[in-house]
Amino acid sequence: ASIAAARGLLHRIERRYEAAAVHCDRALVARLERALAKVGAPPRRMTSGAGHDAMAFDGRIPFAMLFVRCKGGVSHNPAESASAEDIDLAARALAAFVEDMAAEPAAT
C-alpha cells in the first residue's frame, strides 16, 4: 500500500483461490525413504507448495511424492533442468520403491 501510494497508484489485493494443504501418506513416504536409502541417497523431507496432482488425490487414494532436484531450484518453467545423474538416481529410487510394493503390497 505504501509503495503504491508513493507512486500515485491504486492497488487492490483480492484472494481468488485458496486450497488447504494436503498430506502424503506416511506409509508410502516411509517406503520412498527406504527406496532412497537402498540406492544410497539420503532421504530429505520437504514441504511443497505444489498445487497439482496431490490436491486431486487427497481423500481418494494414498499418495507420496518423489522430487528430482532441478538446477537453480527452477521448476514448472521452460528453464527447468535436471542433471542426468539426478534423473538416474530418482529412476533407481522409483524402481526400488516399486519392487518394495511388489514384494509387500500396502494394506488396504
Side-chain angles (χ1 to χ4, degrees):
S2 63
I3 293 170
R7 295 181 178 179
L9 301 172
L10 297 175
H11 78 286
R12 178 178 71 201
I13 297 173
E14 182 178 326
R15 185 175 298 175
R16 296 200 172 233
Y17 180 79
E18 183 175 354
V22 298
H23 300 277
C24 292
D25 181 80
R26 289 180 181 176
L28 290 177
V29 169
R31 285 179 184 255
L32 272 177
E33 289 178 335
R34 283 196 308 266
L36 285 162
K38 186 175 181 179
V39 299
R44 296 182 182 154
R45 289 190 183 202
M46 62 180 278
T47 300
S48 170
H52 47 61
D53 300 342
M55 293 172 70
F57 296 155
D58 191 44
R60 292 174 177 80
I61 61 170
F63 64 90
M65 298 175 77
L66 175 63
F67 289 87
V68 177
R69 180 171 51 184
C70 294
K71 183 179 179 182
V74 176
S75 178
H76 295 80
N77 179 292
E80 181 175 351
S81 175
S83 73
E85 293 81 8
D86 285 342
I87 293 170
D88 176 70
L89 185 62
R92 289 188 290 117
L94 182 58
F97 175 80
V98 171
E99 289 168 358
D100 181 54
M101 291 293 288
E104 188 180 328
T108 57

